[in-house]
Amino acid sequence: MPYTVPKLEDFSPAALDQAVQDLLSAVRQEASAVSGENDAREFRDRWMARKNGILTQASGWLKTAPADAKRAVGQRFDEIKTRVEATVEATQQRLQGGSAAAALESERVDVTLPGIRRPLGAEHPVIRTLNETVAVFRAMGYSVAEGPEVETDYYNFEALNFPPNHPARDTQDTLVIADQDNKPLRDRLLLRTHTSPVQIRTMEQIRPPVRIVCPGKVHRRDATDASHSPVFHQIEGLAVDTNITFSDLKGTLDHAMKALFGSSVKTRFFPSFFPFTEPSADVAISCIICGGKGCRTCKQTGWVELMGCGMVDPNVFGFVKDHGYDPARISGFAFGMGVERLAMMKYGIDDIQMLFQGDVRFLEQFA
Ligand code: DAH
């Protein structure tokens, strides 16, 4: 039964004492049952509300007390008031203490949780393909050589047996550096159109035998479409020794393509032309999308062209004769492949632009 303030008829010290004790034990009991903020507010209002709280009701005792008891009732009422106020205050404190503990609890940090992972960067599919291809040749004993992207006409063309005004230069869609007209043609700067100039630069530095691959960026004045980009990557290869034959070239490239695309892939060599190789060939692999049956990627032919190659033209050795490359004593093969092409075949990408747009949704698939 909730406590109610009794109407006092008997104001004897004993009866007054009993009434005070009842009230105080009620407030203590109710205080101990308070458990939430809402409870606490109700508790406070029930006991201390100005209008009809229990204290206000109990103050009615003062009015009804006979004159000779008023003083004693007044004293006891003050005592009640102080005790009730203290109890309400203490209850509030207890709850606040409790909610501080609750706040601590809710803000608890579990230091053993793994935390927020930063996404790690990953190799771009072009760079990954480039590295994988280089690794295939390294395993065959090739070393890696590099050359500049801003190249001279001499290394990009002349020493590769493209004479001045030779029509084969037109096939390279060259981007040239401005204001070079006052220099001799061979010294004029351009953006290299292929990695082949590294062949010459390497042979100037290293006497035969050489086996090198040269990965890098190349540039051409090409309009952008699904298979062209003005900046792309190539990997050049060069092997020079006594007795290098076309069979060595075929065996090497067939092995490399099987290492990159799986042992069931076939290679096919067919005649082509490059000024710096004689004979020259283009190399196609059996289409890995359709397995050679014919599909959109291979334009229904079952074959996809991936690179150019050939036996180093003796005229090229002529440019590095003084460095130990006597075409009468040595021979060699060379090849050059487009890395984007390899990556597109490897991962079934049908638009070269995907490789350069930097769309994380695309790139994440390679992480
Ligand atoms: N440099 C040629 C190109 O970009 C590719 C090439 C063909 C490289 C034949 C070679 C080669 O080393 O022997 O089109």
Side-chain angles (χ1 to χ4, degrees):
M1 268 275 281
Y3 175 80
T4 52
V5 181
K7 292 219 174 352
L8 283 190
E9 250 116 58
D10 183 356
F11 285 92
S12 68
L16 191 59
D17 202 48
Q18 184 61 52
V20 169
Q21 291 312 322
D22 288 351
L23 187 147
L24 290 180
S25 80
V27 80
R28 273 197 304 270
Q29 216 183 312
E30 286 188 31
S32 68
V34 169
S35 69
E37 273 179 47
N38 288 341
D39 259 15
R41 213 174 304 118
E42 271 178 35
F43 173 68
R44 184 197 61 201
D45 292 345
R46 171 165 151 78
W47 286 86
M48 290 178 45
R50 282 270 154 79
K51 223 164 164 206
N52 205 26
I54 287 172
L55 277 184
T56 306
Q57 290 176 41
S59 70
W61 294 344
L62 280 163
K63 286 176 206 141
T64 54
D68 63 341
K70 277 216 196 298
R71 193 183 157 82
V73 173
Q75 274 171 3
R76 299 309 300 260
F77 180 75
D78 284 344
E79 183 192 334
I80 288 170
K81 193 171 177 239
T82 312
R83 299 277 292 268
V84 166
E85 281 171 1
T87 306
V88 167
E89 173 76 4
T91 306
Q92 223 109 34
Q93 294 260 309
R94 173 168 67 80
L95 278 172
Q96 267 166 23
S99 67
L104 273 184
E105 180 61 28
S106 74
E107 289 166 23
R108 184 196 215 96
V109 174
D110 183 348
V111 295
T112 66
L113 287 175
I116 299 162
R117 258 177 230 285
R118 276 169 185 277
L120 276 186
E123 270 180 341
H124 188 281
V126 169
I127 298 303
R128 190 201 284 190
T129 305
L130 188 147
N131 287 339
E132 276 176 20
T133 309
V134 167
V136 166
F137 285 96
R138 285 180 69 103
M140 288 192 272
Y142 284 66
S143 347
V144 177
E146 289 182 301
E149 278 176 57
V150 178
E151 192 48 285
T152 60
D153 187 278
Y154 177 76
Y155 287 113
N156 197 79
F157 290 123
E158 193 179 332
L160 286 166
N161 200 32
F162 290 80
N165 301 317
H166 192 281
R169 287 176 171 238
D170 296 346
T171 66
Q172 300 267 327
D173 299 304
T174 311
L175 291 160
V176 299
I177 306 286
D179 302 326
Q180 303 278 304
D181 303 343
N182 54 343
K183 289 183 183 171
L185 179 65
R186 64 194 327 260
D187 295 334
R188 291 184 199 166
L189 296 173
L190 46 81
L191 297 181
R192 70 177 176 190
T193 57
H194 51 180
T195 43
S196 304
V198 186
Q199 291 186 26
I200 309 296
R201 288 181 172 277
T202 303
M203 289 191 284
E204 286 179 349
Q205 300 295 321
I206 301 170
R207 300 178 76 82
V210 289
R211 280 166 180 74
I212 49 149
V213 280
C214 328
K217 221 174 262 171
V218 302
H219 306 252
R220 290 196 193 175
R221 210 185 109 264
D222 268 334
T224 292
D225 65 22
S227 56
H228 291 85
S229 161
V231 184
F232 59 105
H233 298 76
Q234 285 188 337
I235 297 173
E236 189 78 14
L238 175 70
V240 183
D241 206 335
T242 50
N243 274 325
I244 298 264
T245 68
F246 201 90
S247 309
D248 297 320
L249 171 59
K250 287 185 78 171
T252 301
L253 292 182
D254 188 68
H255 168 79
M257 292 302 105
K258 285 179 163 64
L260 281 175
F261 292 105
S263 54
S264 60
V265 84
K266 294 195 200 85
T267 52
R268 179 183 173 211
F269 292 68
F270 50 97
S272 185
F273 171 79
F274 299 99
F276 41 95
T277 43
E278 184 59 37
S280 302
D282 281 323
V283 185
I285 62 167
S286 51
C287 179
I288 62 160
I289 308 288
C290 63
K293 289 195 198 73
C295 68
R296 244 181 52 207
T297 301
C298 61
K299 298 194 183 92
Q300 312 304 330
T301 63
W303 296 94
V304 180
E305 233 180 83
L306 278 186
M307 64 185 128
C309 66
M311 301 306 291
V312 179
D313 192 301
N315 287 349
V316 171
F317 287 137
F319 286 92
V320 285
K321 211 172 175 172
D322 298 345
H323 300 272
Y325 292 83
D326 176 0
R329 295 185 47 235
I330 46 116
S331 58
F333 64 71
F335 56 85
M337 52 187 105
V339 183
E340 282 76 7
R341 221 73 219 275
L342 293 174
M344 289 167 76
M345 267 324 261
K346 219 168 151 50
Y347 299 115
I349 300 163
D350 59 8
D351 185 349
I352 195 173
Q353 295 309 316
M354 310 248 29
L355 295 170
F356 300 112
Q357 283 160 348
D359 187 330
V360 175
R361 292 168 301 180
F362 168 77
L363 293 172
E364 259 172 359
Q365 300 176 81
F366 304 93

